[in-house]
């Protein structure tokens, strides 16, 4: 249902965003669960193998997250040209070239894990366990870039359910192969860490294949081919101008959250454990906000194409309402079921009691983080991501400077209180940027 001027109603927008976000959230949570399976299987196989996984994923995790951020910049361009196949196809081809570039760089970083580990002082016993694992994950990184680009394009075309199917297909393969290859049940050989690498590579291959097939079958392409062809440097650069600041933002966040983890570890072993569990709980809830944010981008981009400033802003506000509702719902469930949930993460009563005390601050920080992120996704929709990156760098730069002293003086309460306060400031900064740059984008549309 729409209003008389063709603009979707608030109810229509919220339903559209929530429906798309649910599919994306299911896919993202399933992927997280598969990662937990890898950790559990390797933990039962050998402690050294688990340490090797931790060392490699310390590079693999940020690399793939940054790639995902970079490829989200494709979404608003795809939405703009979804009814123009002759313009949509070049966008998709050049988006794939950007995926090759970002995936290749990320793959090189992952392949270099043995050298990075030696420079960082990782014990040789741990590095000896790696074997082919970094090389397998390096190839997986490139495939994830291809898969993410196809997924971003499908989201831009309003086909989020197909992204979920691709993600679940890959996740299912990862879980089955991890169980079969790592421990080697029955007559099967035990491959250990390389077995986990094969499972992860198979997962990314299947996800990329399913997503690419779904994209090529999209009715918006009208039977046109997506052969890679020659890149168009100007268009690749145009996509990169939107996507690369997102990748930088992801890396900034990873780096500063690492500073927070070290600050918590300096307090005590128990504080480090409490902080680690708190971060896991935040990730569970914040993933919902990321799913909603991705669903918001095409809604905003559609109204930008019509130069409808009111609609652009209403799309972001509707997404903010959905994200806040999702995080509040998950927070409520966590609060009600905190006993059983926290018992899953720790058998130490002291850790669980401290988590219960810290929970209000953790929830406040998460809700504020979700709100600022939605304005950031709104800026993706209007293709103005550099201001968002600068806001993030400034606010989280201050957080990095304050983390150590605050943790030393006030413990985890001060550390998480500072995080919540910084996220509140970031809400104001991101909202101001979105208000300013959405008006500029509508007045002076970005050249296609």
């Amino acid at each position: 249902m729409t209003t008389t001027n063709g603009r979707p109603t608030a109810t229509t927008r919220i339903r559209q965003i929530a429906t798309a976000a649910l599919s994306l959230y299911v896919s993202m949570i399933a992927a997280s669960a598969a990662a937990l399976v890898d950790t559990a299987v390797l933990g039962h196989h050998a402690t050294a193998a688990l340490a090797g996984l931790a060392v490699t994923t310390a590079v693999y995790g940020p690399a793939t997250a940054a790639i995902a951020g970079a490829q989200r910049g494709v979404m608003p361009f795809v939405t703009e040209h979804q009814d123009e196949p002759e313009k949509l196809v070049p966008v998709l081809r050049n988006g794939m070239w950007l995926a090759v570039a970002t995936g290749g760089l990320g793959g090189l970083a992952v392949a270099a894990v043995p050298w990075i580990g030696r420079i960082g002082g990782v014990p040789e016993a741990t590095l000896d366990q790696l074997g082919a694992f970094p090389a397998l994950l390096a190839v997986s990184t490139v495939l994830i870039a291809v898969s993410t680009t196809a997924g971003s394009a499908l989201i831009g075309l309003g086909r989020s359910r197909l992204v979920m199917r691709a993600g679940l297909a890959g996740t299912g393969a990862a879980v089955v192969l991890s169980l079969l290859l790592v421990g080697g049940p029955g007559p099967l050989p035990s491959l250990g860490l390389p077995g986990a690498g094969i499972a992860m590579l198979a997962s990314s291959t299947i996800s990329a294949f399913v997503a690419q097939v779904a994209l090529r079958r999209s009715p918006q392409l009208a039977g046109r081919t997506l052969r890679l062809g020659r890149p168009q440097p100007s268009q690749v650069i145009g996509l990169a101008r939107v996507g690369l600041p997102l990748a930088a933002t992801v890396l900034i966040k990873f780096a500063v959250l690492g500073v927070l983890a070290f600050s918590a570890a300096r307090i005590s072993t128990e504080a480090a454990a409490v902080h680690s569990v708190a971060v896991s709980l935040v990730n569970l809830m914040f993933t919902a906000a990321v799913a909603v944010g991705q669903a918001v981008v095409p809604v905003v981009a559609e109204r930008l194409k019509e130069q409808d400033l009111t609609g652009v802003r209403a799309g972001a506000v509707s997404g903010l309402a959905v994200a806040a509702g999702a995080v509040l719902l998950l927070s409520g469930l966590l609060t009600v079921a905190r006993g059983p949930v926290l018992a899953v993460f720790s058998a130490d009563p002291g850790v669980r009691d401290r988590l219960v005390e810290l929970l209000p601050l953790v929830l406040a920080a998460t809700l504020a983080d979700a709100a600022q992120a939605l304005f950031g996704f709104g800026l993706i929709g209007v293709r103005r991501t550099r201001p968002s990156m600068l806001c993030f760098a400034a606010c989280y730069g201050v957080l990095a400077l304050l983390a150590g002293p605050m943790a030393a003086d006030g413990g985890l309460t001060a550390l998480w209180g500072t995080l919540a306060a910084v996220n509140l400031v970031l809400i104001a900064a991101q909202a101001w940027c979105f208000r300013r740059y959405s008006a500029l984008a509508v007045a002076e549309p970005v050249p296609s």
Side-chain angles (χ1 to χ4, degrees):
M1 180 184 227
T2 59
T3 61
T4 54
N5 63 3
R7 184 185 301 146
T9 64
T11 301
T12 301
R13 284 194 305 271
I14 288 174
R15 185 185 298 115
Q16 177 185 351
I17 292 168
T19 301
L22 181 60
S23 298
L24 298 172
Y25 184 62
V26 169
S27 178
M28 294 162 76
I29 289 297
S32 298
L36 291 176
V37 170
D38 285 336
T39 302
V41 172
L42 284 169
H44 283 88
H45 173 71
T47 300
L50 185 59
L53 174 69
V55 169
T56 308
T57 54
V59 178
Y60 178 75
T64 53
I67 289 167
Q71 299 311 118
R72 284 177 190 144
V74 173
M75 283 191 277
F77 296 90
V78 170
T79 299
E80 180 188 4
H81 299 305
Q82 60 182 321
D83 299 323
E84 303 169 293
E86 69 282 358
K87 293 183 179 180
L88 176 60
V89 170
V91 168
L92 295 174
R93 286 175 176 166
N94 288 292
M96 289 300 172
W97 275 111
L98 181 61
V100 169
T102 58
L105 290 173
L108 288 174
V110 175
V113 162
W115 292 274
I116 295 171
R118 287 188 178 88
I119 293 171
V122 175
E124 285 295 329
T126 298
L127 296 177
D128 289 343
Q129 290 288 319
L130 295 178
F133 188 61
L136 292 168
L137 261 62
V139 179
S140 177
T141 301
V142 177
L143 289 168
I144 285 173
V146 173
S147 176
T148 302
T149 303
S152 294
L154 288 168
I155 295 170
L157 295 172
R159 301 173 69 82
S160 299
R161 189 169 295 180
L162 297 177
V163 179
M164 178 183 70
R165 290 179 185 175
L168 292 180
T171 297
V175 171
V176 172
L177 289 175
S178 289
L179 294 173
L180 292 177
L181 298 179
V182 174
L188 294 175
S190 174
L191 300 180
L193 195 57
I198 293 170
M200 295 169 76
L201 177 57
S203 173
S204 56
T205 302
I206 291 170
S207 292
F209 177 78
V210 174
Q212 287 288 336
V213 169
L215 179 60
R216 281 161 169 75
R217 291 179 177 174
S218 297
Q220 291 92 335
L221 291 176
R224 286 169 167 78
T225 180
L226 284 182
R227 281 196 296 268
L228 201 56
R230 291 183 178 180
Q232 296 174 294
S234 62
Q235 194 166 71
V236 174
I237 292 170
L239 296 172
R241 282 175 178 164
V242 177
L244 294 185
L246 301 175
T249 300
V250 170
L251 293 175
I252 291 167
K253 189 168 188 178
F254 264 98
V256 176
L257 291 181
V259 172
L260 264 64
F262 279 114
S263 298
R266 292 192 188 102
I267 299 171
S268 68
T269 301
E270 181 182 89
V274 170
H275 181 80
S276 177
V277 175
V279 169
S280 297
L281 297 174
V282 167
N283 290 339
L284 179 67
M285 293 181 285
F286 185 70
T287 298
V290 173
V292 174
Q294 291 183 88
V296 162
V297 174
V299 175
V300 171
E302 284 175 357
R303 303 321 305 167
L304 176 65
K305 184 178 181 180
E306 301 299 325
Q307 294 184 265
D308 175 12
L309 179 58
T310 301
V312 164
R313 291 174 175 173
V317 171
S318 295
L320 181 61
V322 176
V327 172
L328 287 172
L329 175 62
L330 292 171
S331 299
L333 293 173
L334 175 59
T335 301
V336 171
R338 59 185 178 276
V341 171
L342 296 182
V344 171
F345 288 94
S346 178
D348 187 336
V351 170
R352 294 202 301 268
D353 290 345
R354 188 71 187 93
L355 278 165
V356 170
E357 295 173 6
L358 197 64
L359 202 55
L361 276 175
V362 171
L363 299 181
T366 306
L367 186 59
D369 200 10
Q372 68 82 18
L374 261 294
F375 288 117
F377 278 102
L379 285 162
I380 298 175
V382 298
R383 309 183 199 177
R384 302 298 205 273
T385 55
R386 188 177 297 177
S388 179
M389 178 194 71
L390 295 176
C391 288
F392 215 99
C395 291
Y396 266 57
V398 171
L399 177 60
L401 294 174
L402 293 177
M406 295 302 292
D409 292 341
L412 285 181
T413 299
L415 185 64
W416 278 87
T418 304
L419 175 59
V422 167
N423 284 342
L424 287 172
V425 174
L426 198 50
I427 293 174
Q430 294 270 60
W432 183 86
C433 284
F434 178 68
R435 181 175 178 81
R436 172 177 170 78
Y437 289 98
S438 59
L440 290 175
V442 170
E444 301 175 9
V446 179
S448 300

